[in-house]
Amino acid sequence: MTTEELRLEYLKIREWGICDQRNLTAARFDAVVLEKLGTADADPAQWVAAAAALRIRCDPCGGSGDYAVGVENGKRLIRGICFRCEGRGVQTHADRLRNDAYDRLNFNSR
């Protein structure tokens, strides 16, 4: 990939991270990736790899890893493992790609 393509890929990953976490800003995302890298002198491929490896709390399950179908008397009704994060409570970029592909297939099959 060219440097420009790598930068665009990083921006896509960052946008996903910001969209999934309401309290995460672009500057905070960059800071977390920079902390993971350890140096600002890393090349674009290293930035993309570090961003893709970030583990972001899964919003559908609230980070619990359990799929809940509802709440009754303040108690969550658990029905199994969250398929969005595969029960880990966090999602990586690879999880997002898998979920997007599933969503597109499921949406198009209706």
Side-chain angles (χ1 to χ4, degrees):
M1 293 178 93
T2 67
T3 300
E4 188 61 31
E5 290 171 335
L6 287 168
R7 288 182 177 158
L8 288 173
E9 182 66 20
Y10 178 81
L11 291 175
K12 286 179 191 174
I13 296 170
R14 181 173 71 179
E15 185 64 30
W16 163 70
I18 292 169
C19 286
D20 270 15
Q21 299 297 305
R22 292 171 192 87
N23 63 348
L24 187 62
T25 64
R28 179 68 184 132
F29 185 90
D30 293 342
V32 170
V33 173
L34 179 60
E35 183 180 313
K36 188 173 183 75
L37 285 170
T39 178
D41 295 331
D43 63 40
Q46 291 171 314
W47 278 84
V48 168
L54 284 183
R55 298 166 57 103
I56 296 176
R57 186 180 63 84
C58 180
D59 268 355
C61 69
S64 70
D66 295 321
Y67 176 74
V69 293
V71 177
E72 184 177 285
N73 297 327
K75 183 178 177 185
R76 292 178 68 184
L77 301 174
I78 306 298
R79 292 291 185 238
I81 294 174
C82 175
F83 74 93
R84 303 299 274 188
C85 66
E86 297 179 333
R88 293 185 312 268
V90 293
Q91 290 188 43
T92 64
H93 184 61
D95 292 325
R96 182 192 73 84
L97 294 175
R98 174 180 48 81
N99 291 329
D100 284 350
Y102 173 82
D103 292 344
R104 278 193 301 277
L105 175 69
N106 194 29
F107 180 78
N108 290 331
S109 64
R110 291 182 183 177

